Each structure stands twice: as structure tokens, then as C-alpha cells.
Amino acid sequence: MPEHWANGRCPRDLYDHPVVHVTWRDAQAYATWAGKSLPAADQWEKAARGTSGRTFPWGDQRTAAKCNVRETGVERTTSVSRYHSGVSPYGVYDMVGNVWEWLATATTPGRYELRGSAFTSPLFRGVPAVPNDANDTMHDDDNGFRCVATPEQMEPVNR
């Protein structure tokens, strides 16, 4: 459990926020437990930019109001569905801002890519094509993850 969850329980006001203070290993373990995986860098970037290669999920305009980055002044995570005008061509929220997201892609032994930037980052750091990385034991209040699944993984468990 993340260290800021009292008694190992998610605070009610964070139910629809990304989970933070997780290492890459925590994120990988959760994805495996859930029968999913962390996205590879190319999967994550396509989900963010679409097939046309947009600069940002919403297009090519630099618009901080479409995501939770430093310029918005929120200074904390927000609901994962707050920024409707910032969704990607595939309808994915928060591909820029809110929290840095761990990816499955290793950059060097013990280091993995992070993408998307966070509420603590300026907008220019969130350009989906720009990689970032960190040690797999790093955890902070501005990094989390998302899972991906193949169609086969999405089939109901009880048939």
C-alpha cells in the first residue's frame, strides 16, 4: 500500500485519483496481479498522440488548461476524469499531467521510462514524445501508473 494511506486504506477523497507513491516494482506487481501489464513506450505514445502524431493528446496547441500541470496551479492530483477537453484520440484521460506514469520500457538496468508529466511539472515536460526515466525504486507524490490489456486479457474470467 502507498505510504500515505492511513491503515492501508485509500482515503475517500482520493478514490478517483491516480495512486501515487508507487515504485516501478509496485506498479509491475499490481499489473501482473490484475492480469494486465504496464504499457510499453510505443503503446503509451500511440494512446496519447493517436495515429496522426499530434503534439499533445488534444492536438498541437500548447494549452495548459486541458491538463493538470504546474501552470494550472492545482498543486495536487485531481480526479482522473476531470480534464474532458484533454483526452487523447482514443478517449484516454490524463496522458499529459496529473502524474508521471511508469512504463514497461527499460532504459538501462534498473531504470524505466516515465511519461506524461505531473501536476508538479511544466506543460512542456508533458509532450508525449519526450521520454523521461527513473530508478525502479523511486516513488513520489507525482508518479503512478496505468495498466493495459490485450483483448484476450479482457475476456471475462468466468465463462
Side-chain angles (χ1 to χ4, degrees), residues 7 12 23 51 68 76 109 125 146 159:
N7 301 316
R12 187 172 297 279
T23 67
T51 57
N68 183 12
R76 65 184 301 253
R125 288 293 312 248
R146 73 176 69 227
R159 298 174 202 259

Side-chain angles (χ1 to χ4, degrees), residues 38-89:
L38 296 178
D42 59 343
Q43 289 174 308
W44 191 95
E45 189 174 335
K46 183 175 181 187
R49 300 177 70 199
T51 57
S52 65
R54 298 169 169 195
T55 304
F56 294 99
W58 54 85
D60 294 324
Q61 296 297 316
R62 190 181 193 129
T63 312
K66 294 183 181 285
C67 55
N68 183 12
V69 290
R70 184 183 302 162
E71 290 89 337
T72 63
V74 176
E75 299 180 355
R76 65 184 301 253
T77 62
T78 56
S79 167
V80 296
S81 61
R82 177 173 177 171
Y83 294 92
H84 298 288
S85 63
V87 299
S88 80

Side-chain angles (χ1 to χ4, degrees), residues 3-140:
E3 62 193 34
H4 64 290
W5 287 9
N7 301 316
R9 301 198 45 99
C10 180
R12 187 172 297 279
D13 64 330
L14 298 179
Y15 279 1
D16 61 350
H17 288 231
V19 174
V20 295
H21 284 289
V22 291
T23 67
W24 180 87
R25 295 172 188 174
D26 294 334
Q28 179 66 26
Y30 178 87
T32 300
W33 171 84
K36 299 178 173 130
S37 59
L38 296 178
D42 59 343
Q43 289 174 308
W44 191 95
E45 189 174 335
K46 183 175 181 187
R49 300 177 70 199
T51 57
S52 65
R54 298 169 169 195
T55 304
F56 294 99
W58 54 85
D60 294 324
Q61 296 297 316
R62 190 181 193 129
T63 312
K66 294 183 181 285
C67 55
N68 183 12
V69 290
R70 184 183 302 162
E71 290 89 337
T72 63
V74 176
E75 299 180 355
R76 65 184 301 253
T77 62
T78 56
S79 167
V80 296
S81 61
R82 177 173 177 171
Y83 294 92
H84 298 288
S85 63
V87 299
S88 80
Y90 293 101
V92 184
Y93 284 77
D94 286 347
M95 297 301 282
V96 171
N98 221 5
V99 297
W100 286 101
E101 297 179 10
W102 285 115
L103 302 183
T105 306
T107 55
T108 60
R111 293 185 72 82
Y112 288 85
E113 279 199 34
L114 293 160
R115 294 279 180 111
S117 78
F119 67 91
T120 56
S121 307
L123 178 62
F124 77 86
R125 288 293 312 248
V127 174
V130 177
N132 186 17
D133 74 343
N135 187 291
D136 62 4
T137 60
M138 189 274 299
H139 64 93
D140 210 339

